[in-house]
Amino acid sequence: MKNKPMEISNLSLVVTDDCNFNCSYCFQKKEKKYMSQSTMEKAIAFFYPYLKKETESIFWGGEPLLAFDNIKYAVNLLQERNKQEKKKIKFYLTTNGSLLSEDKLVFFDRHGFDLMLSFDGLTQDTARKAGSSKRMPGLIKQVRKYPGIVFSVNSVFTPETIGYFSESLRYIIELGVPEIIVSLSSIHPWDQKALDILAKEYERLVEYLFSYYKETGNIPVNDFKIPEGPPRKGFVCLAGQNRMSVTPDEDIWGCYLFHDYLKQKKGSDDYRHYHFGKLDDFIKNHETRYPAVLANYSDLKQDMFFTEREHCFLCRDVEQCSTCPVNAAFSTALIGKIPPWLCDLNRIQRHAKERFLRWTASTPYKSKKKSE
Ligand code: SF4
Ligand code: SF4
């Protein structure tokens, strides 16, 4: 059988493992490691020919803005290399915002960055960094002045902060954020009490979002967007399949999350199983190395995962479920093993979304201008 050629639509450069925050739920092991410009040169020269006509280029950290000069360097390299073929390369960056400044925003605006700000609303000072919430309203206003930046906020909640969930999202929406991605921390277990609070908080959020939608026609929380196209059947992790990631130590993984999880487990079976090798070695041997390691990634499908209660392929929710197997492994210590409370979290989120979509289907938004 012919090997699948490497075709990448998502290339991540982990520009640093360092961070100037110490968020309570962060799963990353911080190290003062920065990707060098020579690693960027090698990585971009090698991977460029394998990038598809439309590609996402992600700058990941730690806090990537600690390496802003190198991000600029990589963007320039990619654009220089892309002068002839003119592939559509879209840049992405997630930041805690502490180092954002006018000159950086001008750069992101010029290059059409998708900029995601990490901001937890009312729990920012306890969960992320004391005093860091003060600057956020002004910063959000400042970012929104740049039309070239696609702006969103990522908000994380834990069993300890979940009581502030709906109020926090409402606060962020009212600051004018057009899109919010909700992340529920999978580092610490969610007990029944926290799950009950989550269910109630989702009810409050759905009520607020519905009235907001009736008023504006907008749905600013990503999970609640009205789906386009036919429903997806069965989740597949795309690590290695169409995405690759390079780290400051020149390790190659199918997704940056493998780096975050496995860099603390060097020598483990999972490390050997999913590691594509070091950059120099991969450049020399990718024709054999890529298909050999990719075969290990191809097992990462929802129906291959399991919990201690059941196998996912026997679960009635398997077709609607999308669980990142690495995210789950931060809690179970095994890629593909899902903690049962993560299933409960997913179900609560899904039921809230179904309820919201039923409401919006029965009361579609009518623009005031049109109906006048
Ligand atoms: S809900 Fe849980 S058991 Fe069911 S498919 Fe999802 S992860 Fe697997
Ligand atoms: S499912 Fe998780 S590991 Fe797989 S590509 Fe997505 S984020 Fe990466």
Side-chain angles (χ1 to χ4, degrees):
M1 205 173 74
K2 238 182 134 201
N3 287 333
K4 182 179 175 290
M6 186 159 59
E7 284 186 308
I8 302 168
S9 55
N10 181 311
L11 178 66
S12 313
L13 299 180
V14 182
V15 290
T16 180
D17 282 333
D18 197 5
C19 186
N20 56 350
F21 275 24
N22 194 14
C23 304
S24 61
Y25 40 74
C26 183
F27 46 66
Q28 294 181 331
K29 181 167 176 268
K30 288 158 198 83
E31 290 175 287
K32 298 232 166 282
K33 288 188 176 169
Y34 289 76
M35 182 176 282
S36 70
Q37 294 189 346
S38 70
T39 301
M40 289 177 169
E41 287 163 16
K42 258 192 297 185
I44 289 171
F46 171 69
F47 281 112
Y48 181 84
Y50 299 101
L51 302 185
K52 289 192 185 172
K53 289 261 175 285
E54 289 196 15
T55 292
E56 297 172 350
S57 172
I58 297 181
F59 296 103
W60 188 248
E63 169 49 48
L65 291 188
L66 287 168
F68 180 62
D69 286 344
N70 280 357
I71 292 173
K72 281 205 294 195
Y73 187 74
V75 168
N76 290 337
L77 276 179
L78 263 167
Q79 290 188 328
E80 212 32 57
R81 180 67 178 81
N82 196 30
K83 268 188 175 151
Q84 282 196 330
E85 291 184 49
K86 295 197 184 347
K87 298 181 186 182
K88 215 167 145 194
I89 301 177
K90 173 94 188 129
F91 300 109
Y92 289 78
L93 182 137
T94 302
T95 173
N96 62 34
S98 60
L99 300 171
L100 270 176
S101 54
E102 211 68 52
D103 61 319
K104 294 183 180 94
L105 290 171
V106 168
F107 177 81
F108 296 141
D109 183 59
R110 188 171 343 120
H111 296 282
F113 263 67
D114 196 302
L115 187 73
M116 191 187 287
L117 179 67
S118 302
F119 175 37
D120 302 341
L122 304 179
T123 70
Q124 174 81 7
D125 283 344
T126 45
R128 286 203 189 261
K129 190 173 188 179
S132 62
S133 64
K134 213 164 111 208
R135 191 174 169 231
M136 288 298 174
L139 186 59
I140 289 169
K141 226 177 182 178
Q142 197 182 0
V143 178
R144 295 204 65 216
K145 282 196 279 177
Y146 291 91
I149 296 176
V150 180
F151 177 51
S152 60
V153 156
N154 177 45
S155 286
V156 185
F157 295 89
T158 66
E160 287 72 38
T161 62
I162 197 60
Y164 297 93
F165 175 71
S166 59
E167 272 303 299
S168 291
L169 293 189
R170 187 178 175 147
Y171 170 60
I172 297 169
I173 291 166
E174 287 171 4
L175 287 175
V177 171
E179 179 156 14
I180 304 171
I181 287 84
V182 169
S183 308
L184 299 176
S185 167
S186 54
I187 301 302
H188 304 295
W190 289 64
D191 61 15
Q192 195 51 50
K193 191 170 160 224
L195 291 169
D196 291 344
I197 299 174
L198 176 71
K200 284 216 175 67
E201 284 294 306
Y202 258 112
E203 274 176 30
R204 288 192 189 118
L205 178 66
V206 166
E207 275 163 30
Y208 170 70
L209 279 184
F210 186 56
S211 62
Y212 186 86
Y213 171 74
K214 278 198 297 187
E215 195 55 36
T216 65
N218 295 325
I219 305 172
V221 180
N222 195 279
D223 282 343
F224 290 87
K225 298 262 185 235
I226 297 170
E228 287 168 15
R232 182 192 49 77
K233 296 251 179 208
F235 170 74
V236 174
C237 163
L238 293 173
Q241 315 286 340
N242 69 2
R243 54 190 64 194
M244 296 294 270
S245 176
V246 186
T247 77
D249 281 340
E250 302 197 347
D251 290 301
I252 311 292
W253 299 99
C255 167
Y256 52 76
L257 272 194
F258 283 83
H259 166 62
D260 290 333
Y261 176 61
L262 288 172
K263 76 176 164 193
Q264 299 166 51
K265 296 180 183 295
K266 280 199 179 128
S268 67
D269 287 348
D270 272 347
Y271 193 98
R272 282 191 292 277
H273 204 62
Y274 295 110
H275 190 218
F276 281 100
K278 291 282 184 188
L279 181 58
D280 287 335
D281 191 46
F282 190 70
I283 291 172
K284 269 194 237 135
N285 301 311
H286 62 279
E287 285 182 7
T288 49
R289 187 87 190 138
Y290 177 69
V293 179
L294 184 66
N296 302 334
Y297 280 87
S298 60
D299 280 348
L300 297 174
K301 302 175 190 159
Q302 190 71 49
D303 56 3
M304 305 287 275
F305 305 156
F306 60 96
T307 73
E308 61 198 39
R309 292 195 298 230
E310 63 186 333
H311 269 282
C312 290
F313 73 87
L314 293 172
C315 171
R316 65 189 154 87
D317 289 328
V318 66
E319 286 191 347
Q320 295 104 56
C321 193
S322 310
T323 310
C324 169
V326 184
N327 206 14
F330 281 104
S331 154
T332 60
L334 194 61
I335 291 177
K337 183 173 180 187
I338 317 292
W341 46 263
L342 194 53
C343 308
D344 298 331
L345 288 185
N346 291 342
R347 277 188 198 115
I348 291 170
Q349 285 181 301
R350 217 168 34 247
H351 289 167
K353 179 175 183 174
E354 283 162 9
R355 190 153 146 249
F356 179 74
L357 292 180
R358 269 198 309 277
W359 284 5
T360 49
S362 62
T363 319
Y365 169 69
K366 288 194 187 70
S367 152
K368 285 189 184 132
K369 268 194 195 136
K370 275 185 206 154
S371 55
E372 271 160 15

